[in-house]
Amino acid sequence: LEFLLKQADFKIHKSSYYNMFLLPMIILKRLTDKVASDNHSDVYKLSPLVNIFMSKIMRTESKILKSLNLPFGLSIITLAQK
């Protein structure tokens, strides 16, 4: 992503991975779904407690991202300017 942005004459201000703390849970979920292979949708309503837990994790990552770049994660977040 950074390479493509630089080639298009963008100045990169910040680039990092995101969802680092949720990645192990997501990998485990995807592996168990693959083993079960029942072809059901993975979109469903979560418990409010799970939502609160995940929201707190994401807020924590957002605070960390203000000063550090995360070494791995599920997503890439990049701030660039033309």
Side-chain angles (χ1 to χ4, degrees):
L1 180 61
E2 287 184 40
F3 174 77
L4 294 174
L5 288 168
K6 287 178 183 176
Q7 289 242 316
D9 294 324
F10 280 84
K11 179 183 177 190
I12 297 174
H13 295 283
K14 176 106 176 141
S15 187
S16 177
Y17 286 98
Y18 194 66
N19 289 323
M20 182 180 85
F21 296 122
L22 293 176
L23 183 62
M25 289 181 275
I26 293 167
I27 290 172
L28 182 62
K29 170 76 170 117
R30 288 184 179 175
L31 287 173
T32 56
D33 285 352
K34 196 173 211 176
V35 170
S37 68
D38 56 4
N39 295 324
H40 71 282
S41 174
D42 64 347
V43 179
Y44 51 89
K45 191 171 183 173
L46 294 173
S47 153
L49 290 176
V50 173
N51 277 336
I52 290 168
F53 175 71
M54 289 182 166
S55 293
K56 287 184 183 209
I57 289 174
M58 293 184 80
R59 276 195 296 277
T60 301
E61 277 196 9
S62 293
K63 289 176 184 175
I64 291 170
L65 279 172
K66 290 179 181 178
S67 57
L68 299 171
N69 289 331
L70 300 176
F72 60 89
L74 186 64
S75 305
I76 296 175
I77 184 167
T78 301
L79 175 63
Q81 183 178 14
K82 187 81 169 172

